Amino acid sequence: MFISVSHPELLTVTEPRTHQSHFGGAQEWYSSEWGRKAGCGPTCAANLSAYLALTCPALRALYSGDTMDRVAFTRHMEEIFPFVTPGPMGLNRVELFSEGVAAFAAGRGVLLVPHVFAVTGSRRPDRPPVSALVEFVRAGLAADCPLGFLNLSRGRVKNLQNWHWISITSADFTAGQLTARASDEGVLREFDLRLWYLSTRMSGGLVYFTQ
């Protein structure tokens, strides 16, 4: 079963001069050195909030730009950075992300309700089964919101970065596999989220928002 947000193409960010396209934002666009080094979390937050603004009229205040060119989107990234600010260890807890995005939205007169799937360390007996992860991803995409995904340790998934946030926009649910597609530094990334969940030893998590 394949499920996706309804308009993933709305996350296409274009270069004003060359018309080159990116799939979502990239932290290297931040003006500050710290943003370029540790800004994957606020970049992911910018992706999610811009998508919600462009797909739901009641949430339009979440994105101040008139277009999704790089200039406008980078300005959006800078605007959300003070609310979703990486600390010395980056943005290493899902709650820091969800609370920051909710505060950014509140400042624009918008109420967003965060839904969080917190992943505990693999040695914790209370880690939920894979089926709970699958259901959470399905629910987020069915709600037409990309999912922010925090991966502190990539486990056996070789094409993910450690200690990193990306934005999941679709997933393919098959027996024994959960293939996710995400915006990762302006490119489309495809990876096995189920394998990550079963092989990562550290914490992490996912989050999406509804009205």
Side-chain angles (χ1 to χ4, degrees):
M1 178 181 67
F2 177 79
I3 187 167
S4 170
V5 294
S6 59
H7 295 287
E9 72 280 1
L10 292 178
L11 280 179
T12 301
V13 180
T14 57
E15 297 282 354
R17 295 183 180 178
T18 65
H19 303 292
Q20 176 187 358
S21 63
H22 310 272
F23 187 50
Q27 69 189 66
E28 65 183 24
W29 299 346
Y30 275 112
S31 58
S32 69
E33 182 180 357
W34 183 239
R36 293 190 297 271
K37 181 178 180 180
C40 56
T43 301
C44 178
N47 288 338
L48 269 62
S49 52
Y51 181 85
L52 291 173
L54 296 174
T55 54
C56 181
L59 303 179
R60 187 62 181 83
L62 293 176
Y63 183 67
S64 59
D66 295 323
T67 67
M68 282 288 281
D69 66 35
R70 178 170 163 175
V71 173
F73 191 80
T74 301
R75 182 169 61 247
H76 176 58
M77 289 169 55
E78 299 283 4
E79 290 169 349
I80 207 167
F81 191 89
F83 296 88
V84 190
T85 309
M89 298 295 290
L91 210 70
N92 61 342
R93 290 191 292 113
V94 180
E95 293 77 11
L96 297 174
F97 181 94
S98 61
E99 292 169 4
V101 172
F104 168 78
R108 300 197 169 195
V110 174
L111 175 64
L112 285 182
V113 179
H115 303 264
V116 173
F117 185 88
V119 176
T120 58
S122 61
R123 296 182 179 180
R124 289 276 298 271
D126 57 347
R127 179 179 275 199
V130 174
S131 58
L133 169 70
V134 171
E135 175 55 29
F136 187 85
V137 173
R138 187 206 63 76
L141 296 174
D144 202 20
C145 181
L147 295 105
F149 167 47
L150 171 61
N151 156 48
L152 295 179
S153 170
R154 68 184 185 181
R156 297 203 306 271
V157 181
K158 301 305 181 184
N159 64 336
L160 289 177
Q161 295 183 51
N162 292 321
W163 221 273
H164 194 47
W165 281 91
I166 60 177
S167 314
I168 296 174
T169 57
S170 66
D172 197 2
F173 305 87
T174 59
Q177 193 167 359
L178 174 55
T179 303
R181 295 171 183 85
S183 166
D184 182 0
E185 297 301 328
V187 301
L188 178 64
R189 179 82 58 202
E190 184 174 299
F191 64 99
D192 188 345
L193 183 59
R194 181 180 184 274
L195 178 61
W196 171 82
Y197 190 66
L198 294 176
S199 62
T200 184
R201 294 187 175 184
M202 298 183 69
S203 57
L206 299 98
V207 59
Y208 69 91
F209 299 88
T210 57
Q211 297 183 65

